Amino acid sequence: MRLSTRAQYAVRAMVDLSLYSEGRPVSLKEISRREEIPLNYLEQLFFRLKKGQIVTSVRGPGGGYVLARQESAIKVGEIVETVEEQLSPVACLDEGDRSCRRGARCLTHTVWQGLGERIKGFLDSITLADLTREARTRPAGGGDNEKGVCQPTG
Amino acid sequence: MRLSTRAQYAVRAMVDLSLYSEGRPVSLKEISRREEIPLNYLEQLFFRLKKGQIVTSVRGPGGGYVLARQESAIKVGEIVETVEEQLSPVACLDEGDRSCRRGARCLTHTVWQGLGERIKGFLDSITLADLTREARTRPAGGGDNEKGVCQPTG
DNA sequence: ACATACCTTACTATAATTGTCAAGTATGCA
DNA sequence: TGCATACTTGACAATTATAGTAAGGTATGT
């Protein structure tokens, strides 16, 4: 039941982009450096994010990426769905009825369906704005957070 | 974000066991036949389920497995957690702070944490009794269900 | 033109998952 | 006692998905 690192990276990168863009485009190089995500890997992610119309690109020197919409109009669920192949927890939810037959299968089907809806619902209830708001309140690398588990190590 | 087939099989097998056990032990052979799950694979699953104290085994001829508790006291979340390595959506939730450092990571951390709680909460809100109750109302292989996607194919 | 930075495809290594094989142990029954 | 049933357990192979790398291309501002 693991989320791919693609999805984790994508959300982190989007938060980073959102935090450090002040109108101007942010280059992947910057994000790569700050978030310690391989540049080539980021490029792949942003290729998808662009296709998903979550970001816009500006080419050439001084270029980079810009949010396609307001922070508050970009849901975390969207980001995840865009870079992840599928968000649904089991295969037969996407493919239709092929792998779903008699016996206990139909019964469990409804469970997975419900689960999928909850997951999507939760992730769609959070926007980039929610995340960046928190960040701006408590600056990066800053002092205290609830449990001390997220301190910088370097 | 896929659930392993292990987890899917385990829940299905438990529903099957619950449905067809009437006090007596149910052999894996039976479950394997009805649910079309490889016998050896089932054995592995039930090894874990037994360790997780969700089922009890009866050895010898006429033996098999029995629910360790009442249907209503067995949560789907338990079953999944028992056969799945981990239920949490990202690694740094289990391992502690090792992979969680500065920048946008802490922020997204809370998102994944929330997601994990929702997933667990939902799966724990459903018991075996909920599933079998539905099954007994609408017998296996039966006629109509909401969308017609779960009909027997054979 | 040249540097920057996006764009795109292809590939590889690694890990997880799925499923198989095989050999054992406990038990009930004739 | 001996046999059949069925659980018990560990090792292993095949498949697949993921993560990450590499390389070359295209657009654009100075």
Side-chain angles (χ1 to χ4, degrees):
Chain A
M1 203 63 199
R2 278 284 153 88
L3 211 62
S4 65
T5 62
R6 260 211 303 278
Q8 297 174 52
Y9 282 171
V11 176
R12 261 172 55 203
M14 287 296 293
V15 171
D16 185 289
L17 166 56
S18 193
L19 278 176
Y20 290 94
S21 163
E22 281 140 358
R24 71 176 177 91
V26 179
S27 73
L28 294 188
K29 211 171 176 180
E30 278 183 67
I31 300 179
S32 166
R33 185 159 14 84
R34 276 193 298 260
E35 299 294 333
E36 296 172 38
I37 300 171
L39 178 60
N40 286 324
Y41 204 31
L42 264 184
E43 288 177 339
Q44 286 182 36
L45 296 182
F46 274 80
F47 176 52
R48 294 180 193 228
L49 291 172
K50 193 191 171 186
K51 265 204 309 191
Q53 302 186 313
I54 295 178
V55 297
T56 326
S57 68
V58 179
R59 304 182 76 147
Y65 286 93
V66 187
L67 298 184
R69 278 165 273 149
Q70 285 190 320
E71 287 177 334
S72 58
I74 297 178
K75 304 171 201 161
V76 172
E78 270 185 290
I79 300 172
V80 174
E81 252 183 335
T82 301
V83 300
E84 192 104 343
E85 287 318 306
Q86 53 258 326
L87 197 48
S88 64
V90 302
C92 65
L93 292 181
D94 326 300
E95 296 162 13
D97 56 334
R98 193 60 55 95
S99 57
C100 184
R101 296 199 221 135
R102 92 179 106 257
R105 294 194 211 188
C106 295
L107 294 168
T108 60
H109 191 112
T110 64
V111 175
W112 311 136
Q113 196 161 23
L115 178 60
E117 284 160 13
R118 299 306 175 99
I119 291 173
K120 182 147 174 48
F122 176 69
L123 292 180
D124 277 350
S125 75
I126 304 171
T127 70
L128 261 193
D130 296 324
L131 295 178
T132 55
R133 188 184 317 123
E134 196 179 335
R136 287 192 249 262
T137 311
R138 162 168 68 79
D144 49 57
N145 53 20
E146 314 88 12
K147 290 161 119 183
V149 291
C150 289
Q151 301 295 347
T153 56
Chain B
M1 204 61 199
R2 277 283 153 87
L3 210 62
S4 64
T5 62
R6 261 211 300 279
Q8 298 175 51
Y9 283 171
V11 176
R12 261 172 55 204
M14 287 296 293
V15 171
D16 184 290
L17 167 56
S18 193
L19 278 176
Y20 290 95
S21 163
E22 282 140 357
R24 71 174 177 91
V26 179
S27 73
L28 294 188
K29 212 168 175 182
E30 279 182 65
I31 300 180
S32 166
R33 185 159 15 84
R34 276 193 299 258
E35 299 293 333
E36 297 172 38
I37 300 171
L39 177 60
N40 288 322
Y41 204 30
L42 266 185
E43 289 175 340
Q44 284 182 39
L45 296 183
F46 274 80
F47 175 52
R48 295 181 193 228
L49 291 171
K50 193 190 169 186
K51 265 205 306 191
Q53 301 187 313
I54 295 179
V55 297
T56 326
S57 67
V58 179
R59 304 182 76 148
Y65 286 92
V66 187
L67 298 184
R69 278 164 274 149
Q70 284 191 322
E71 286 177 335
S72 58
I74 297 178
K75 304 172 201 159
V76 172
E78 269 186 290
I79 300 172
V80 173
E81 252 184 334
T82 301
V83 299
E84 193 104 343
E85 287 317 308
Q86 53 259 325
L87 196 48
S88 64
V90 302
C92 65
L93 292 182
D94 326 300
E95 296 161 12
D97 56 334
R98 194 60 56 94
S99 57
C100 184
R101 296 197 222 135
R102 91 179 108 258
R105 295 194 210 186
C106 296
L107 294 168
T108 59
H109 192 112
T110 64
V111 176
W112 311 135
Q113 196 161 23
L115 178 60
E117 283 160 13
R118 301 306 174 98
I119 291 173
K120 182 147 173 49
F122 176 68
L123 292 179
D124 277 350
S125 75
I126 304 171
T127 69
L128 261 192
D130 296 325
L131 296 178
T132 54
R133 188 184 317 120
E134 196 180 334
R136 288 191 247 263
T137 312
R138 161 169 68 79
D144 50 55
N145 53 18
E146 315 90 10
K147 292 162 115 182
V149 290
C150 288
Q151 302 295 346
T153 56

